[in-house]
Every structure is written in structure tokens, then in C-alpha cells.
Amino acid sequence: MENRSKLTMSKVIERFSYGCGDFGCNIIYTAMSAFLLFYYTDYAGVNAFAVGTIMMVSRFFDGISDVIMGVIVDRTRSKYGKARPWLLRMCVPFALSGILLFSVPTSWASAPKLVYVFITYNLVSTVIYTAINVPYSALNALMTQDPYERSVLSIFRNLLATAGTLTINTFTLPLVEYFGDNTSAWTKTFCVFGLLAVAAFLVNFFGTKERVRSVASESGNAEVVPFKVGIKALFRNKYWIMMTGMLALFFLMYSVNGGATVYYAKDILGDRNLVGTINGIFNVVQIAGMFFIAMLVKKYGKRNVFALGLVLDIIGMLVLNFSGGAISLIVISSVIRGVGNACGGATMWAMVSDTIDYGEWKTGVRTEGLVNSACSFGYKIGNGIGSALLGLILEVGGYVGEAAAQSASALASIKVCFVWIPVAVYLIGLVIMKFYHLDREFDGIIEDLKNRAKNKQEV
């Protein structure tokens, strides 16, 4: 009984440690999605469309670096495994690059400022974030092949990711105000967040272990998979294609919706501090919902729980859009969307990990790093397009950062970004899920892979 208790506690600690990685990642990711464009336009005095264009162009570089990092992860050999060494190596550079991102020299002219934005944005997203997030994304598939445990790990990942998002959404503006509500206040704020991110990644590194090896590794015949072979295998993996497309759309939506939140609160609802109310309740409910999602996944499967989340997200967005600014309806909307996001967040990354096993079964090639980096390539392209789209729509709508009141077209553009683009993405997601059947095929696939490994060992 005592040994069982120790085993259970050990599992909980490892799950928590795994989730801490996305807590650290979200320190920068949420800041970039929710506040970076606002910081650039309203504090650093940089043109929204120019910044959006830089973000979009940079995401293409970022996508290429993701694939390169995926290959590096697959070829990494160390006593810590394939992915974990990179968490340790990159945690401090990650924190420093985030500080630089929110340190635009405001005394500079427009052109030099844009050069600074281009360099620091690419340092963060193309180099540093990629070098830590791609290995982290591969870690789930390297820790276990048990589909339920993967779902639980994904739940912990989303729990801690949501906690990271909640931390940024709740404390960024209050800390900025505490430090003086000027450009240097943003730098000081991200010095605090940087230390928090380093601590999270250290917990992630020391608290997890890689256990899964390919069939070839199990039989002692492991070889480095050539890049061309790995890429061809990816495009024979129909479920990977579906999840990559889904992620690209979702992160386009996250970028547009997340970046528009502060504008929606400030200009539609009339109080920028409602960002804390909208996101705070949403994140708290999402965290609470995570404790019940594992039971739903066990009973109904990842795909069905994910689809349920999409339906709830649509309902929540429509309630908010027609709330008329009523606090009670804003709260109800945040609760509904929080439950919806709990369903999606708890299953999405576990579904990506499942496509790795399907790919190995289908093609004989297992590439955790390449699968996750190519997914990352897709969603970062989506994120980059979303960032540019947000800036473009605001610019076309006539948004002026320093204006006391926005025009009707500017307000309409904010609603398009915050409400209608997300609703469209959720609907497309429901269509994609109609063709996703890996849940019911997965047990047979794992059994077949185990038999292949056993037969190779006997030979």
C-alpha cells in the first residue's frame, strides 16, 4: 500500500513537472498574443500595420527554424534524452529574450524602432522560443505511449499553461502600473516574469523522464532518419495533416482574438481593466474544468471531448457578443468559454502525440521532433498570419492608438477580430473532426507496434 502511494505521488509530481514547461512557455506566448501589439502601438509608438507585417514575415522564418529544431531534437543523444537537455540549455536565454522584446527604445526614430522590433521579435520567436518549445512539445510522446496517461499529461500541460496565461493576463497591467505605467515599466515587469519562467523550466527538466523509444531502437537497429524520409512520412500521415491544419487555424484565431482582447475591453466595453474579468474568470473556469476532463476523455474519447469544446466556445463567444456590456453576461460567457477551452486544451496535444504512433505504424518511421516541429511550423504560420491580420484589420478599420474615442468602423474591426474570426475557426474545426477516427484505431495500432518490436528482437 505504501509503495502504491509513493508511485501515485511520483506520477502526480511528474505530471505537474511536465505541465510547468507550458507555464514557462506561456509567459512569453501569452504576452506576445495579448499585450505585445498593444505595447507597440500605445507605449512604444510603432505603427500597427508595420508591426503586423513584421510578425507575419517573421513567422515564416520561425516555421523554418521549427523544422530545423525538430531534426536537431530527433538527432540529440544525451543521458537526459532527446528533448529534456534543451529545456535546461535554453531557459535563461528564453527569459532574457522576453525582456528585450518589451524594451523598445522609444527615443529612436520610426525606422530604427522597426529594425529593433524585427530583430528582437525574431530572436524570441524564430530562435529562442523554437529551441525550447519544440523539444517541450515532443516530450509528451517520449514520456509514455499510454493514451490515457498522455491525456492526463495533456491536461496538466493545459492546466499549467492556463495558469501561465492567467498570471500574464492578471498581473501584467497592474505590474506595469506599479512600476510607473511607462515604457520602462514594461521592461521591469518582464524581468519579474523572466525569473518565473526560468524556475518553471527547471522544474520541468528535473521532474520528468523520457522512456519511449522507436521499434528500431528497441530492436537495437536505430538509425538517424534522413530529413527527406521523415518529411515524406509526415505527408502520408493523414491524422497529422488534420491536426496540423487544426493547430494552424487555432493559433491564427488565438493571435487575432488574444491580441484584440485589450482593445475589446477598452473600446467596446469601455474599461481596459475588464481584460482581467474576461480572461480571469475564463482561465479559472478552464483550470477547474481540467479536473473533470480526464473522466470525459476516458468515457467518450479525445475527439468527442474536443468537439464538445468547440461547440461551447461558439456559444460562449455569441453570448459575449450580444451581452451589451452587461457584467452578468460577460461572466456567463467566460464560464462557458472556459469549459470549452478546457475540453480543447486537455485533448489537443495528446491527439498530436497519438499521430506520432500512427505515423510509425503507417510508415515505419518515428520522428517525435519532426512531427511536433512541423505542427509548430503550421501553427506559427497561422499565428503570424493572425498577427498581421489583426494589425491589418485594425488599420483598415481606422483604429488610432492615441484617440480618445474610436470610429464606428474601428469598433466594428475590433468585433470582427475578437468574436467573428474565432466563431468561424471553431466551425471549421467541427468539420475537420468529422474525419478524425484515430481514437478508435489507437489500441490496435499500439498492439501491432509492440508485436513488430518483439518480432524484430527475436530475429
Side-chain angles (χ1 to χ4, degrees):
M1 192 72 165
E2 187 180 338
N3 288 338
R4 191 188 223 174
S5 177
K6 285 182 179 177
L7 184 63
T8 303
M9 181 54 67
S10 175
K11 267 195 168 186
V12 171
I13 290 171
E14 185 173 45
R15 291 165 178 171
F16 174 81
S17 300
Y18 171 73
C20 281
D22 223 18
F23 179 93
C25 287
N26 265 28
I27 294 292
I28 294 300
Y29 179 79
T30 303
M32 291 173 73
S33 298
F35 293 108
L36 187 58
L37 187 60
F38 178 64
Y39 164 75
Y40 284 151
T41 57
D42 287 40
Y43 285 81
V46 184
N47 178 268
F49 180 64
V51 170
T53 304
I54 287 173
M55 288 177 172
M56 182 177 69
V57 171
S58 299
R59 286 303 187 185
F60 284 94
F61 295 136
D62 192 8
I64 294 168
S65 72
D66 277 347
V67 176
I68 293 170
M69 192 64 208
V71 174
I72 291 171
V73 169
D74 283 328
R75 299 185 181 197
T76 298
R77 301 287 184 272
S78 82
K79 65 180 181 180
Y80 301 121
K82 287 182 176 183
R84 288 172 63 241
W86 295 100
L87 304 173
L88 184 63
R89 293 167 186 166
M90 301 309 300
C91 61
V92 173
F94 180 87
L96 293 174
S97 66
I99 295 167
L100 290 173
L101 195 65
F102 287 90
S103 302
V104 177
T106 52
S107 61
W108 291 6
S110 179
K113 271 198 275 194
L114 287 174
V115 171
Y116 181 92
V117 168
F118 181 83
I119 292 172
T120 53
Y121 188 85
N122 276 282
L123 175 67
V124 173
S125 64
T126 305
V127 182
I128 307 295
Y129 187 85
T130 294
I132 204 164
N133 188 254
V134 168
Y136 175 71
S137 296
L139 188 56
N140 183 310
L142 289 162
M143 289 171 67
T144 180
Q145 274 186 314
D146 181 85
Y148 177 70
E149 181 62 21
R150 278 185 181 168
S151 295
V152 175
L153 285 171
S154 191
I155 287 169
F156 271 80
R157 173 180 183 169
N158 204 257
L159 270 171
L160 274 296
T162 306
T165 298
L166 183 60
T167 299
I168 293 298
N169 285 330
T170 303
F171 295 108
T172 296
L173 293 179
L175 277 174
V176 167
E177 289 182 7
Y178 174 78
F179 287 124
D181 199 18
N182 52 30
T183 51
S184 67
W186 287 86
T187 305
K188 293 170 186 173
T189 296
F190 280 87
C191 286
V192 175
F193 289 147
L195 290 172
L196 195 58
V198 171
F201 282 119
L202 291 177
V203 171
N204 185 204
F205 171 77
F206 286 110
T208 57
K209 185 178 181 181
E210 296 181 23
R211 301 177 183 87
V212 176
R213 298 197 299 166
S214 66
V215 170
S217 295
E218 292 286 354
S219 61
N221 298 317
E223 294 180 3
V224 172
V225 177
F227 177 71
K228 187 176 179 181
V229 173
I231 290 293
K232 284 177 71 175
L234 282 184
F235 285 95
R236 290 174 60 196
N237 186 334
K238 62 182 179 181
Y239 293 123
W240 172 82
I241 292 171
M242 289 180 198
M243 291 310 299
T244 300
M246 179 74 74
L247 286 167
L249 284 171
F250 261 61
F251 279 82
L252 179 152
M253 179 268 295
Y254 288 150
S255 182
V256 173
N257 172 263
T261 304
V262 68
Y263 298 103
Y264 191 87
K266 180 169 71 79
D267 297 304
I268 303 294
L269 301 178
D271 182 2
R272 78 172 191 176
N273 289 319
L274 281 174
V275 168
T277 303
I278 294 170
N279 288 330
I281 296 170
F282 167 76
N283 291 147
V284 168
V285 171
Q286 184 176 350
I287 290 171
M290 288 292 171
F291 294 101
F292 304 98
I293 298 300
M295 293 182 290
L296 292 176
V297 169
K298 204 165 194 175
K299 187 170 183 179
Y300 300 109
K302 292 188 279 288
R303 185 200 76 158
N304 292 334
V305 173
F306 185 82
L308 172 64
L310 295 176
V311 173
L312 291 173
D313 284 328
I314 292 170
I315 294 170
M317 290 306 301
L318 293 177
V319 169
L320 181 61
N321 183 66
F322 297 108
S323 68
I327 293 296
S328 59
L329 290 177
I330 291 172
V331 170
I332 291 170
S333 164
S334 294
V335 170
I336 296 171
R337 292 191 303 122
V339 176
N341 241 45
C343 292
T347 52
M348 184 186 299
W349 299 110
M351 290 165 77
V352 171
S353 292
D354 289 351
T355 70
I356 295 169
D357 298 299
Y358 174 81
E360 183 182 11
W361 174 80
K362 177 81 174 174
T363 67
V365 174
R366 185 180 184 89
T367 50
E368 293 93 349
L370 191 58
V371 165
N372 280 283
S373 65
C375 270
S376 182
F377 175 89
Y379 75 66
K380 284 185 177 176
I381 293 299
N383 189 282
I385 293 172
S387 297
L389 198 58
L390 174 60
L392 176 62
I393 292 172
L394 291 179
E395 189 74 15
V396 169
Y399 178 82
V400 180
E402 299 82 12
Q406 300 296 333
S407 65
S409 61
L411 297 178
S413 70
I414 292 169
K415 284 187 178 181
V416 166
C417 292
F418 187 76
V419 177
W420 297 114
I421 288 177
V423 167
V425 168
Y426 296 139
L427 288 170
I428 293 170
L430 286 171
V431 173
I432 293 173
M433 284 299 100
K434 287 282 290 180
F435 301 95
Y436 185 94
H437 308 297
L438 184 53
D439 279 6
R440 65 175 181 235
E441 301 168 359
F442 192 77
D443 288 344
I445 287 170
I446 294 299
E447 187 64 31
D448 193 38
L449 287 173
K450 287 178 179 177
N451 289 334
R452 290 183 198 178
K454 185 178 178 181
N455 292 338
K456 284 195 174 185
Q457 285 175 336
E458 289 173 355
V459 172

